[in-house]
Amino acid sequence: MRVSHAEVRLEKWLAAARYAEGLDEDELSGVVASHYLDAWRATPEGDQGAALADRARAALRAAAERAMALHANAAAVGWFEQALAVTSDPAERAA
């Protein structure tokens, strides 16, 4: 069975996100968020998509909070807006 190009990209994004996440460095929060977001965008609807949406949302919020701590308000707004794009639950969107 041949692995598709999209599946290879997805696995690379996930591997990069997990690696950066494992380094436990606040400075890498944007890198982690970007890789999880890309992985989510490449994933079809369903359980895997929902799980990646959760990971992406958490990583995007962490990146936004890191940006706020650095007084990079425009960047924080951008991260929060991307987190909203990953959120489908109306109650969570309102929070």
Side-chain angles (χ1 to χ4, degrees):
M1 182 166 101
R2 187 178 167 133
V3 178
S4 74
H5 183 66
E7 290 171 323
V8 170
R9 274 195 332 255
L10 174 61
E11 288 305 316
K12 286 182 178 181
W13 282 319
L14 290 174
R18 290 177 185 136
Y19 176 78
E21 198 170 36
L23 295 174
D24 199 27
E25 295 287 335
D26 289 341
E27 293 81 16
L28 296 177
S29 61
V31 172
V32 173
S34 293
H35 286 301
Y36 276 125
L37 183 62
D38 287 339
W40 171 75
R41 286 179 176 149
T43 304
E45 298 287 325
D47 291 341
Q48 185 181 18
L52 281 174
D54 290 343
R55 294 296 307 141
R57 192 168 35 259
L60 289 161
R61 286 184 182 152
E65 289 169 9
R66 172 72 177 154
M68 286 190 323
L70 297 173
H71 304 285
N73 297 330
V77 168
W79 291 120
F80 279 129
E81 287 175 341
Q82 289 180 79
L84 277 173
V86 177
T87 305
S88 59
D89 180 17
E92 193 172 339
R93 289 181 65 84

